[in-house]
Amino acid sequence: MRRRKKPKSTVPIIMKRDAFHGIVRNAIANFQKSVSCYDTDINQSVMNFATGLELTLKARLHHEHWTLLLEDMDRTKQAQLESFGFISVSMNKLLTRMQLIFPSDFKSEVVKSFGPITKIRNQTMHCYSPDMADDIRREDIARAQLLAWHHLYDLIDNQWSVVFKKHLDDFFSLDNEFRKNPARLKNVFEATEAIREPFRKRRIKIWKCGVCSYKSKRPEDNPYSQVVMSYYCDVCRSMDIHVNLRCDSCKHDNHFVIESLGFLPPEFKCGKCLRRIPHEHLIQQYVDSIAQKCDQRSISCRSCGKQGTVFPISDEQYRCLDCFQIFNEGDIHICEHCAEVFAGSIDEPTGFYGCGWCDGHSESDF
């Protein structure tokens, strides 16, 4: 008698191929509700937006592997999955996992834009009042949502476009919804006009913001140099890097804008003679511009691994002219083994483990 095969175990719904698309559709539905009820129910808009953001990130994790959605991947049993008796990853741990798995996508500015969404959602949940605008200003909510959406949509439309390709049209429609109603940030723009007025009086150009579309992007006040400057938007708080670079060949003054989430240009090209401007020329022009103004000691960048690319931009801050990362005074260290001066965080003693430009004490030293 032929032996019957043992039936296969039931595959939990979360493991099915359609689960990813289900999570994405749920996220889109929450974003749509957030947009539609912003003017009538700000509390519900906050909740829906935070849920949509969290579900979108979880969908991206799920696409890598379904176990990444679990709070405790080691202790969750099969039976718990099949009965949905499991705990999904919290938002804080979710962001940590995203940084570990997608380090090139999840830069610091991305994580910083998502943090306020969780904070506002928690305030709404635990400190509810009929009109949250009294406790959390409506313009702060609008600003936080718009900036977080800008970063999220940039990921979906660029780095993650293949993963979300079946849903790109829906996200594109949502992007139009978020951006076509600039009136929701009009009060923020009007309230911050006084901040920009001194710049106008000094005939310093105010730029149009690529995130919120308001002419509200202003430069750092009193920087050491105008060769490389940060421009901040008073409405949505996004930041761009502006580079004023003279071409050594034709002496044309070029102006380059590097968006906060845009990819750094592989090279600078003169807008007049179209010749490549080496990155070393940027560093030299910056050094010349800050001559006799501040300490010009050679500082290396631990963020991008380049030597001698970090220079002061104020009395308390420094910037790498290769990756444009900004460091505070407390981020400047001297290696205890090789005396290399570098900018970045220290996780281990440099005297023993080294600084990245040296290996520290080797076994032969003992």
PDB file of all heavy atoms in Angstrom, residues 204-205 207 219 223 225-231 241-247 252-258 268 277 281-286 289 324:
ATOM      1  N   ILE A 204      21.458  89.410   0.993  1.00  0.00           N
ATOM      2  CA  ILE A 204      21.828  88.000   0.909  1.00  0.00           C
ATOM      3  C   ILE A 204      20.639  87.237   0.349  1.00  0.00           C
ATOM      4  O   ILE A 204      19.521  87.348   0.857  1.00  0.00           O
ATOM      5  CB  ILE A 204      22.207  87.443   2.300  1.00  0.00           C
ATOM      6  CG1 ILE A 204      23.448  88.175   2.816  1.00  0.00           C
ATOM      7  CG2 ILE A 204      22.462  85.941   2.235  1.00  0.00           C
ATOM      8  CD1 ILE A 204      23.844  87.781   4.228  1.00  0.00           C
ATOM      9  N   LYS A 205      20.877  86.474  -0.679  1.00  0.00           N
ATOM     10  CA  LYS A 205      19.788  85.804  -1.389  1.00  0.00           C
ATOM     11  C   LYS A 205      19.121  84.729  -0.530  1.00  0.00           C
ATOM     12  O   LYS A 205      19.784  83.935   0.125  1.00  0.00           O
ATOM     13  CB  LYS A 205      20.317  85.154  -2.680  1.00  0.00           C
ATOM     14  CG  LYS A 205      19.225  84.513  -3.524  1.00  0.00           C
ATOM     15  CD  LYS A 205      19.784  83.994  -4.839  1.00  0.00           C
ATOM     16  CE  LYS A 205      18.685  83.347  -5.670  1.00  0.00           C
ATOM     17  NZ  LYS A 205      19.195  82.859  -6.984  1.00  0.00           N
ATOM     18  N   TRP A 207      16.798  81.449  -0.866  1.00  0.00           N
ATOM     19  CA  TRP A 207      16.517  80.475  -1.916  1.00  0.00           C
ATOM     20  C   TRP A 207      15.170  79.792  -1.719  1.00  0.00           C
ATOM     21  O   TRP A 207      14.665  79.693  -0.598  1.00  0.00           O
ATOM     22  CB  TRP A 207      17.612  79.411  -1.959  1.00  0.00           C
ATOM     23  CG  TRP A 207      18.925  79.945  -2.444  1.00  0.00           C
ATOM     24  CD1 TRP A 207      19.821  80.696  -1.722  1.00  0.00           C
ATOM     25  CD2 TRP A 207      19.494  79.791  -3.742  1.00  0.00           C
ATOM     26  NE1 TRP A 207      20.911  81.020  -2.485  1.00  0.00           N
ATOM     27  CE2 TRP A 207      20.737  80.472  -3.740  1.00  0.00           C
ATOM     28  CE3 TRP A 207      19.073  79.151  -4.906  1.00  0.00           C
ATOM     29  CZ2 TRP A 207      21.568  80.511  -4.865  1.00  0.00           C
ATOM     30  CZ3 TRP A 207      19.907  79.181  -6.030  1.00  0.00           C
ATOM     31  CH2 TRP A 207      21.131  79.859  -5.998  1.00  0.00           C
ATOM     32  N   PRO A 219      21.035  81.216   4.558  1.00  0.00           N
ATOM     33  CA  PRO A 219      22.356  80.671   4.895  1.00  0.00           C
ATOM     34  C   PRO A 219      22.658  80.761   6.377  1.00  0.00           C
ATOM     35  O   PRO A 219      21.944  81.410   7.138  1.00  0.00           O
ATOM     36  CB  PRO A 219      23.299  81.572   4.092  1.00  0.00           C
ATOM     37  CG  PRO A 219      22.580  82.889   4.064  1.00  0.00           C
ATOM     38  CD  PRO A 219      21.117  82.550   3.962  1.00  0.00           C
ATOM     39  N   PRO A 223      29.234  82.839   8.845  1.00  0.00           N
ATOM     40  CA  PRO A 223      30.125  81.678   8.745  1.00  0.00           C
ATOM     41  C   PRO A 223      31.564  82.123   8.529  1.00  0.00           C
ATOM     42  O   PRO A 223      31.826  83.265   8.147  1.00  0.00           O
ATOM     43  CB  PRO A 223      29.584  80.941   7.512  1.00  0.00           C
ATOM     44  CG  PRO A 223      29.025  82.031   6.671  1.00  0.00           C
ATOM     45  CD  PRO A 223      28.472  83.050   7.615  1.00  0.00           C
ATOM     46  N   SER A 225      33.434  81.063   6.148  1.00  0.00           N
ATOM     47  CA  SER A 225      33.686  81.148   4.719  1.00  0.00           C
ATOM     48  C   SER A 225      32.398  80.977   3.936  1.00  0.00           C
ATOM     49  O   SER A 225      31.485  80.272   4.364  1.00  0.00           O
ATOM     50  CB  SER A 225      34.690  80.066   4.294  1.00  0.00           C
ATOM     51  OG  SER A 225      34.781  79.979   2.891  1.00  0.00           O
ATOM     52  N   GLN A 226      32.340  81.619   2.780  1.00  0.00           N
ATOM     53  CA  GLN A 226      31.183  81.472   1.901  1.00  0.00           C
ATOM     54  C   GLN A 226      31.453  80.486   0.764  1.00  0.00           C
ATOM     55  O   GLN A 226      30.636  80.343  -0.135  1.00  0.00           O
ATOM     56  CB  GLN A 226      30.780  82.830   1.325  1.00  0.00           C
ATOM     57  CG  GLN A 226      30.273  83.801   2.379  1.00  0.00           C
ATOM     58  CD  GLN A 226      29.762  85.105   1.786  1.00  0.00           C
ATOM     59  OE1 GLN A 226      29.764  85.284   0.573  1.00  0.00           O
ATOM     60  NE2 GLN A 226      29.320  86.011   2.653  1.00  0.00           N
ATOM     61  N   VAL A 227      32.581  79.793   0.810  1.00  0.00           N
ATOM     62  CA  VAL A 227      32.880  78.794  -0.212  1.00  0.00           C
ATOM     63  C   VAL A 227      31.935  77.613  -0.070  1.00  0.00           C
ATOM     64  O   VAL A 227      31.371  77.118  -1.044  1.00  0.00           O
ATOM     65  CB  VAL A 227      34.349  78.340  -0.121  1.00  0.00           C
ATOM     66  CG1 VAL A 227      34.614  77.187  -1.095  1.00  0.00           C
ATOM     67  CG2 VAL A 227      35.282  79.505  -0.432  1.00  0.00           C
ATOM     68  N   VAL A 228      31.753  77.145   1.167  1.00  0.00           N
ATOM     69  CA  VAL A 228      30.812  76.056   1.458  1.00  0.00           C
ATOM     70  C   VAL A 228      29.926  76.507   2.605  1.00  0.00           C
ATOM     71  O   VAL A 228      30.425  76.864   3.677  1.00  0.00           O
ATOM     72  CB  VAL A 228      31.537  74.747   1.838  1.00  0.00           C
ATOM     73  CG1 VAL A 228      30.523  73.645   2.115  1.00  0.00           C
ATOM     74  CG2 VAL A 228      32.487  74.320   0.734  1.00  0.00           C
ATOM     75  N   MET A 229      28.609  76.500   2.375  1.00  0.00           N
ATOM     76  CA  MET A 229      27.686  76.996   3.389  1.00  0.00           C
ATOM     77  C   MET A 229      26.473  76.080   3.503  1.00  0.00           C
ATOM     78  O   MET A 229      26.045  75.469   2.517  1.00  0.00           O
ATOM     79  CB  MET A 229      27.216  78.411   3.045  1.00  0.00           C
ATOM     80  CG  MET A 229      28.338  79.429   2.935  1.00  0.00           C
ATOM     81  SD  MET A 229      27.742  81.039   2.368  1.00  0.00           S
ATOM     82  CE  MET A 229      26.717  81.522   3.741  1.00  0.00           C
ATOM     83  N   SER A 230      25.915  76.023   4.700  1.00  0.00           N
ATOM     84  CA  SER A 230      24.653  75.311   4.912  1.00  0.00           C
ATOM     85  C   SER A 230      23.506  76.290   4.756  1.00  0.00           C
ATOM     86  O   SER A 230      23.571  77.426   5.230  1.00  0.00           O
ATOM     87  CB  SER A 230      24.605  74.699   6.315  1.00  0.00           C
ATOM     88  OG  SER A 230      25.593  73.716   6.476  1.00  0.00           O
ATOM     89  N   TYR A 231      22.459  75.864   4.076  1.00  0.00           N
ATOM     90  CA  TYR A 231      21.240  76.659   3.923  1.00  0.00           C
ATOM     91  C   TYR A 231      20.089  75.916   4.600  1.00  0.00           C
ATOM     92  O   TYR A 231      19.837  74.755   4.278  1.00  0.00           O
ATOM     93  CB  TYR A 231      20.914  76.899   2.443  1.00  0.00           C
ATOM     94  CG  TYR A 231      21.591  78.122   1.874  1.00  0.00           C
ATOM     95  CD1 TYR A 231      22.966  78.150   1.684  1.00  0.00           C
ATOM     96  CD2 TYR A 231      20.862  79.266   1.548  1.00  0.00           C
ATOM     97  CE1 TYR A 231      23.594  79.285   1.162  1.00  0.00           C
ATOM     98  CE2 TYR A 231      21.475  80.397   1.028  1.00  0.00           C
ATOM     99  CZ  TYR A 231      22.842  80.397   0.844  1.00  0.00           C
ATOM    100  OH  TYR A 231      23.455  81.515   0.340  1.00  0.00           O
ATOM    101  N   ILE A 241      23.499  71.960   1.057  1.00  0.00           N
ATOM    102  CA  ILE A 241      24.864  72.469   1.056  1.00  0.00           C
ATOM    103  C   ILE A 241      25.052  73.263  -0.231  1.00  0.00           C
ATOM    104  O   ILE A 241      24.796  72.762  -1.327  1.00  0.00           O
ATOM    105  CB  ILE A 241      25.898  71.328   1.117  1.00  0.00           C
ATOM    106  CG1 ILE A 241      25.684  70.473   2.371  1.00  0.00           C
ATOM    107  CG2 ILE A 241      27.313  71.893   1.093  1.00  0.00           C
ATOM    108  CD1 ILE A 241      25.904  71.211   3.668  1.00  0.00           C
ATOM    109  N   HIS A 242      25.486  74.537  -0.113  1.00  0.00           N
ATOM    110  CA  HIS A 242      25.761  75.375  -1.271  1.00  0.00           C
ATOM    111  C   HIS A 242      27.269  75.560  -1.389  1.00  0.00           C
ATOM    112  O   HIS A 242      27.938  75.904  -0.414  1.00  0.00           O
ATOM    113  CB  HIS A 242      25.068  76.732  -1.131  1.00  0.00           C
ATOM    114  CG  HIS A 242      23.580  76.662  -1.269  1.00  0.00           C
ATOM    115  ND1 HIS A 242      22.873  77.539  -2.063  1.00  0.00           N
ATOM    116  CD2 HIS A 242      22.659  75.816  -0.738  1.00  0.00           C
ATOM    117  CE1 HIS A 242      21.576  77.238  -2.011  1.00  0.00           C
ATOM    118  NE2 HIS A 242      21.434  76.203  -1.201  1.00  0.00           N
ATOM    119  N   VAL A 243      27.790  75.316  -2.584  1.00  0.00           N
ATOM    120  CA  VAL A 243      29.227  75.417  -2.838  1.00  0.00           C
ATOM    121  C   VAL A 243      29.471  76.490  -3.886  1.00  0.00           C
ATOM    122  O   VAL A 243      28.939  76.421  -5.000  1.00  0.00           O
ATOM    123  CB  VAL A 243      29.796  74.069  -3.327  1.00  0.00           C
ATOM    124  CG1 VAL A 243      31.290  74.209  -3.628  1.00  0.00           C
ATOM    125  CG2 VAL A 243      29.561  72.974  -2.291  1.00  0.00           C
ATOM    126  N   ASN A 244      30.254  77.504  -3.519  1.00  0.00           N
ATOM    127  CA  ASN A 244      30.655  78.558  -4.449  1.00  0.00           C
ATOM    128  C   ASN A 244      32.109  78.295  -4.849  1.00  0.00           C
ATOM    129  O   ASN A 244      33.022  78.460  -4.035  1.00  0.00           O
ATOM    130  CB  ASN A 244      30.520  79.934  -3.796  1.00  0.00           C
ATOM    131  CG  ASN A 244      29.075  80.247  -3.457  1.00  0.00           C
ATOM    132  OD1 ASN A 244      28.208  80.240  -4.325  1.00  0.00           O
ATOM    133  ND2 ASN A 244      28.796  80.507  -2.184  1.00  0.00           N
ATOM    134  N   LEU A 245      32.295  77.860  -6.085  1.00  0.00           N
ATOM    135  CA  LEU A 245      33.601  77.367  -6.513  1.00  0.00           C
ATOM    136  C   LEU A 245      34.033  78.047  -7.808  1.00  0.00           C
ATOM    137  O   LEU A 245      33.299  78.032  -8.801  1.00  0.00           O
ATOM    138  CB  LEU A 245      33.519  75.848  -6.708  1.00  0.00           C
ATOM    139  CG  LEU A 245      34.797  75.064  -6.896  1.00  0.00           C
ATOM    140  CD1 LEU A 245      35.759  75.313  -5.731  1.00  0.00           C
ATOM    141  CD2 LEU A 245      34.477  73.573  -6.978  1.00  0.00           C
ATOM    142  N   ARG A 246      35.217  78.647  -7.804  1.00  0.00           N
ATOM    143  CA  ARG A 246      35.736  79.318  -9.000  1.00  0.00           C
ATOM    144  C   ARG A 246      36.530  78.326  -9.847  1.00  0.00           C
ATOM    145  O   ARG A 246      37.343  77.554  -9.339  1.00  0.00           O
ATOM    146  CB  ARG A 246      36.623  80.490  -8.608  1.00  0.00           C
ATOM    147  CG  ARG A 246      37.374  81.124  -9.768  1.00  0.00           C
ATOM    148  CD  ARG A 246      37.953  82.474  -9.406  1.00  0.00           C
ATOM    149  NE  ARG A 246      36.905  83.480  -9.253  1.00  0.00           N
ATOM    150  CZ  ARG A 246      37.154  84.776  -9.085  1.00  0.00           C
ATOM    151  NH1 ARG A 246      38.393  85.223  -9.058  1.00  0.00           N
ATOM    152  NH2 ARG A 246      36.164  85.619  -8.933  1.00  0.00           N
ATOM    153  N   CYS A 247      36.262  78.350 -11.136  1.00  0.00           N
ATOM    154  CA  CYS A 247      36.987  77.490 -12.080  1.00  0.00           C
ATOM    155  C   CYS A 247      38.382  78.068 -12.311  1.00  0.00           C
ATOM    156  O   CYS A 247      38.525  79.236 -12.691  1.00  0.00           O
ATOM    157  CB  CYS A 247      36.225  77.375 -13.392  1.00  0.00           C
ATOM    158  SG  CYS A 247      37.089  76.419 -14.666  1.00  0.00           S
ATOM    159  N   HIS A 252      35.488  81.363 -14.010  1.00  0.00           N
ATOM    160  CA  HIS A 252      34.039  81.535 -13.842  1.00  0.00           C
ATOM    161  C   HIS A 252      33.623  81.118 -12.440  1.00  0.00           C
ATOM    162  O   HIS A 252      34.079  80.097 -11.930  1.00  0.00           O
ATOM    163  CB  HIS A 252      33.294  80.695 -14.885  1.00  0.00           C
ATOM    164  CG  HIS A 252      31.803  80.738 -14.739  1.00  0.00           C
ATOM    165  ND1 HIS A 252      31.059  81.885 -14.981  1.00  0.00           N
ATOM    166  CD2 HIS A 252      30.901  79.780 -14.357  1.00  0.00           C
ATOM    167  CE1 HIS A 252      29.788  81.635 -14.773  1.00  0.00           C
ATOM    168  NE2 HIS A 252      29.659  80.366 -14.394  1.00  0.00           N
ATOM    169  N   ASP A 253      32.760  81.926 -11.796  1.00  0.00           N
ATOM    170  CA  ASP A 253      32.262  81.605 -10.459  1.00  0.00           C
ATOM    171  C   ASP A 253      31.039  80.700 -10.582  1.00  0.00           C
ATOM    172  O   ASP A 253      30.004  81.100 -11.127  1.00  0.00           O
ATOM    173  CB  ASP A 253      31.904  82.887  -9.700  1.00  0.00           C
ATOM    174  CG  ASP A 253      33.133  83.692  -9.333  1.00  0.00           C
ATOM    175  OD1 ASP A 253      34.171  83.075  -9.028  1.00  0.00           O
ATOM    176  OD2 ASP A 253      33.059  84.940  -9.377  1.00  0.00           O
ATOM    177  N   ASN A 254      31.157  79.501 -10.054  1.00  0.00           N
ATOM    178  CA  ASN A 254      30.077  78.506 -10.123  1.00  0.00           C
ATOM    179  C   ASN A 254      29.368  78.383  -8.789  1.00  0.00           C
ATOM    180  O   ASN A 254      29.974  78.554  -7.730  1.00  0.00           O
ATOM    181  CB  ASN A 254      30.638  77.132 -10.505  1.00  0.00           C
ATOM    182  CG  ASN A 254      31.204  77.095 -11.905  1.00  0.00           C
ATOM    183  OD1 ASN A 254      30.484  76.902 -12.867  1.00  0.00           O
ATOM    184  ND2 ASN A 254      32.524  77.297 -12.022  1.00  0.00           N
ATOM    185  N   HIS A 255      28.085  78.088  -8.866  1.00  0.00           N
ATOM    186  CA  HIS A 255      27.284  77.857  -7.660  1.00  0.00           C
ATOM    187  C   HIS A 255      26.643  76.472  -7.771  1.00  0.00           C
ATOM    188  O   HIS A 255      25.877  76.203  -8.686  1.00  0.00           O
ATOM    189  CB  HIS A 255      26.193  78.920  -7.509  1.00  0.00           C
ATOM    190  CG  HIS A 255      25.399  78.775  -6.244  1.00  0.00           C
ATOM    191  ND1 HIS A 255      25.784  79.345  -5.057  1.00  0.00           N
ATOM    192  CD2 HIS A 255      24.254  78.094  -5.975  1.00  0.00           C
ATOM    193  CE1 HIS A 255      24.902  79.049  -4.121  1.00  0.00           C
ATOM    194  NE2 HIS A 255      23.975  78.281  -4.652  1.00  0.00           N
ATOM    195  N   PHE A 256      26.985  75.584  -6.829  1.00  0.00           N
ATOM    196  CA  PHE A 256      26.446  74.230  -6.816  1.00  0.00           C
ATOM    197  C   PHE A 256      25.578  74.041  -5.577  1.00  0.00           C
ATOM    198  O   PHE A 256      25.910  74.534  -4.494  1.00  0.00           O
ATOM    199  CB  PHE A 256      27.566  73.183  -6.800  1.00  0.00           C
ATOM    200  CG  PHE A 256      28.529  73.297  -7.956  1.00  0.00           C
ATOM    201  CD1 PHE A 256      29.730  73.983  -7.807  1.00  0.00           C
ATOM    202  CD2 PHE A 256      28.237  72.728  -9.183  1.00  0.00           C
ATOM    203  CE1 PHE A 256      30.628  74.088  -8.862  1.00  0.00           C
ATOM    204  CE2 PHE A 256      29.120  72.828 -10.247  1.00  0.00           C
ATOM    205  CZ  PHE A 256      30.318  73.509 -10.086  1.00  0.00           C
ATOM    206  N   VAL A 257      24.462  73.349  -5.742  1.00  0.00           N
ATOM    207  CA  VAL A 257      23.565  73.044  -4.622  1.00  0.00           C
ATOM    208  C   VAL A 257      23.521  71.537  -4.451  1.00  0.00           C
ATOM    209  O   VAL A 257      23.187  70.803  -5.380  1.00  0.00           O
ATOM    210  CB  VAL A 257      22.143  73.581  -4.866  1.00  0.00           C
ATOM    211  CG1 VAL A 257      21.232  73.195  -3.700  1.00  0.00           C
ATOM    212  CG2 VAL A 257      22.170  75.088  -5.035  1.00  0.00           C
ATOM    213  N   ILE A 258      23.878  71.079  -3.252  1.00  0.00           N
ATOM    214  CA  ILE A 258      23.835  69.654  -2.929  1.00  0.00           C
ATOM    215  C   ILE A 258      22.694  69.454  -1.945  1.00  0.00           C
ATOM    216  O   ILE A 258      22.770  69.890  -0.794  1.00  0.00           O
ATOM    217  CB  ILE A 258      25.159  69.174  -2.310  1.00  0.00           C
ATOM    218  CG1 ILE A 258      26.325  69.499  -3.251  1.00  0.00           C
ATOM    219  CG2 ILE A 258      25.114  67.685  -2.027  1.00  0.00           C
ATOM    220  CD1 ILE A 258      27.674  69.211  -2.650  1.00  0.00           C
ATOM    221  N   PHE A 268      32.743  68.202  -9.754  1.00  0.00           N
ATOM    222  CA  PHE A 268      32.185  69.515 -10.039  1.00  0.00           C
ATOM    223  C   PHE A 268      32.597  69.893 -11.461  1.00  0.00           C
ATOM    224  O   PHE A 268      33.757  69.734 -11.841  1.00  0.00           O
ATOM    225  CB  PHE A 268      32.714  70.551  -9.046  1.00  0.00           C
ATOM    226  CG  PHE A 268      32.262  70.322  -7.634  1.00  0.00           C
ATOM    227  CD1 PHE A 268      33.127  69.797  -6.687  1.00  0.00           C
ATOM    228  CD2 PHE A 268      30.970  70.627  -7.257  1.00  0.00           C
ATOM    229  CE1 PHE A 268      32.712  69.583  -5.382  1.00  0.00           C
ATOM    230  CE2 PHE A 268      30.543  70.430  -5.949  1.00  0.00           C
ATOM    231  CZ  PHE A 268      31.417  69.900  -5.015  1.00  0.00           C
ATOM    232  N   ILE A 277      36.252  70.401 -12.284  1.00  0.00           N
ATOM    233  CA  ILE A 277      36.947  71.098 -11.207  1.00  0.00           C
ATOM    234  C   ILE A 277      37.305  70.071 -10.141  1.00  0.00           C
ATOM    235  O   ILE A 277      36.417  69.537  -9.470  1.00  0.00           O
ATOM    236  CB  ILE A 277      36.077  72.213 -10.593  1.00  0.00           C
ATOM    237  CG1 ILE A 277      35.606  73.183 -11.681  1.00  0.00           C
ATOM    238  CG2 ILE A 277      36.850  72.960  -9.512  1.00  0.00           C
ATOM    239  CD1 ILE A 277      34.667  74.260 -11.167  1.00  0.00           C
ATOM    240  N   HIS A 281      40.604  71.353  -5.506  1.00  0.00           N
ATOM    241  CA  HIS A 281      40.486  72.805  -5.679  1.00  0.00           C
ATOM    242  C   HIS A 281      39.481  73.394  -4.690  1.00  0.00           C
ATOM    243  O   HIS A 281      39.638  74.528  -4.232  1.00  0.00           O
ATOM    244  CB  HIS A 281      40.056  73.126  -7.114  1.00  0.00           C
ATOM    245  CG  HIS A 281      41.149  72.885  -8.116  1.00  0.00           C
ATOM    246  ND1 HIS A 281      41.072  73.318  -9.424  1.00  0.00           N
ATOM    247  CD2 HIS A 281      42.334  72.242  -8.006  1.00  0.00           C
ATOM    248  CE1 HIS A 281      42.170  72.956 -10.070  1.00  0.00           C
ATOM    249  NE2 HIS A 281      42.954  72.299  -9.234  1.00  0.00           N
ATOM    250  N   LEU A 282      38.423  72.629  -4.389  1.00  0.00           N
ATOM    251  CA  LEU A 282      37.449  73.074  -3.395  1.00  0.00           C
ATOM    252  C   LEU A 282      38.132  73.236  -2.043  1.00  0.00           C
ATOM    253  O   LEU A 282      37.955  74.254  -1.353  1.00  0.00           O
ATOM    254  CB  LEU A 282      36.296  72.074  -3.302  1.00  0.00           C
ATOM    255  CG  LEU A 282      35.367  72.223  -2.085  1.00  0.00           C
ATOM    256  CD1 LEU A 282      34.659  73.565  -2.119  1.00  0.00           C
ATOM    257  CD2 LEU A 282      34.352  71.084  -2.048  1.00  0.00           C
ATOM    258  N   ILE A 283      38.907  72.228  -1.661  1.00  0.00           N
ATOM    259  CA  ILE A 283      39.602  72.293  -0.372  1.00  0.00           C
ATOM    260  C   ILE A 283      40.573  73.463  -0.338  1.00  0.00           C
ATOM    261  O   ILE A 283      40.634  74.208   0.653  1.00  0.00           O
ATOM    262  CB  ILE A 283      40.335  70.963  -0.097  1.00  0.00           C
ATOM    263  CG1 ILE A 283      39.310  69.827   0.074  1.00  0.00           C
ATOM    264  CG2 ILE A 283      41.218  71.075   1.141  1.00  0.00           C
ATOM    265  CD1 ILE A 283      39.925  68.466   0.288  1.00  0.00           C
ATOM    266  N   GLN A 284      41.324  73.671  -1.418  1.00  0.00           N
ATOM    267  CA  GLN A 284      42.300  74.760  -1.442  1.00  0.00           C
ATOM    268  C   GLN A 284      41.620  76.121  -1.364  1.00  0.00           C
ATOM    269  O   GLN A 284      42.076  77.007  -0.626  1.00  0.00           O
ATOM    270  CB  GLN A 284      43.138  74.673  -2.715  1.00  0.00           C
ATOM    271  CG  GLN A 284      44.292  75.668  -2.756  1.00  0.00           C
ATOM    272  CD  GLN A 284      45.228  75.510  -1.576  1.00  0.00           C
ATOM    273  OE1 GLN A 284      45.730  74.425  -1.303  1.00  0.00           O
ATOM    274  NE2 GLN A 284      45.459  76.601  -0.838  1.00  0.00           N
ATOM    275  N   GLN A 285      40.517  76.286  -2.102  1.00  0.00           N
ATOM    276  CA  GLN A 285      39.812  77.569  -2.067  1.00  0.00           C
ATOM    277  C   GLN A 285      39.212  77.816  -0.687  1.00  0.00           C
ATOM    278  O   GLN A 285      39.162  78.968  -0.223  1.00  0.00           O
ATOM    279  CB  GLN A 285      38.726  77.606  -3.145  1.00  0.00           C
ATOM    280  CG  GLN A 285      39.287  77.714  -4.556  1.00  0.00           C
ATOM    281  CD  GLN A 285      38.217  77.906  -5.619  1.00  0.00           C
ATOM    282  OE1 GLN A 285      37.193  78.556  -5.373  1.00  0.00           O
ATOM    283  NE2 GLN A 285      38.445  77.341  -6.800  1.00  0.00           N
ATOM    284  N   TYR A 286      38.759  76.748  -0.023  1.00  0.00           N
ATOM    285  CA  TYR A 286      38.209  76.921   1.324  1.00  0.00           C
ATOM    286  C   TYR A 286      39.322  77.309   2.303  1.00  0.00           C
ATOM    287  O   TYR A 286      39.145  78.201   3.137  1.00  0.00           O
ATOM    288  CB  TYR A 286      37.512  75.643   1.789  1.00  0.00           C
ATOM    289  CG  TYR A 286      36.730  75.836   3.078  1.00  0.00           C
ATOM    290  CD1 TYR A 286      35.418  76.290   3.050  1.00  0.00           C
ATOM    291  CD2 TYR A 286      37.317  75.618   4.314  1.00  0.00           C
ATOM    292  CE1 TYR A 286      34.708  76.507   4.228  1.00  0.00           C
ATOM    293  CE2 TYR A 286      36.624  75.820   5.494  1.00  0.00           C
ATOM    294  CZ  TYR A 286      35.318  76.262   5.442  1.00  0.00           C
ATOM    295  OH  TYR A 286      34.618  76.486   6.604  1.00  0.00           O
ATOM    296  N   SER A 289      40.197  80.824   1.970  1.00  0.00           N
ATOM    297  CA  SER A 289      39.154  81.746   2.441  1.00  0.00           C
ATOM    298  C   SER A 289      39.129  81.884   3.954  1.00  0.00           C
ATOM    299  O   SER A 289      38.626  82.878   4.474  1.00  0.00           O
ATOM    300  CB  SER A 289      37.788  81.282   1.947  1.00  0.00           C
ATOM    301  OG  SER A 289      37.396  80.073   2.584  1.00  0.00           O
ATOM    302  N   PHE A 324      30.813  66.265   3.677  1.00  0.00           N
ATOM    303  CA  PHE A 324      30.027  67.403   4.184  1.00  0.00           C
ATOM    304  C   PHE A 324      29.356  67.132   5.533  1.00  0.00           C
ATOM    305  O   PHE A 324      28.411  67.812   5.909  1.00  0.00           O
ATOM    306  CB  PHE A 324      29.002  67.871   3.150  1.00  0.00           C
ATOM    307  CG  PHE A 324      29.624  68.369   1.883  1.00  0.00           C
ATOM    308  CD1 PHE A 324      29.693  67.577   0.765  1.00  0.00           C
ATOM    309  CD2 PHE A 324      30.177  69.640   1.835  1.00  0.00           C
ATOM    310  CE1 PHE A 324      30.292  68.025  -0.398  1.00  0.00           C
ATOM    311  CE2 PHE A 324      30.783  70.116   0.680  1.00  0.00           C
ATOM    312  CZ  PHE A 324      30.844  69.289  -0.442  1.00  0.00           C
TER     313      PHE A 324
END
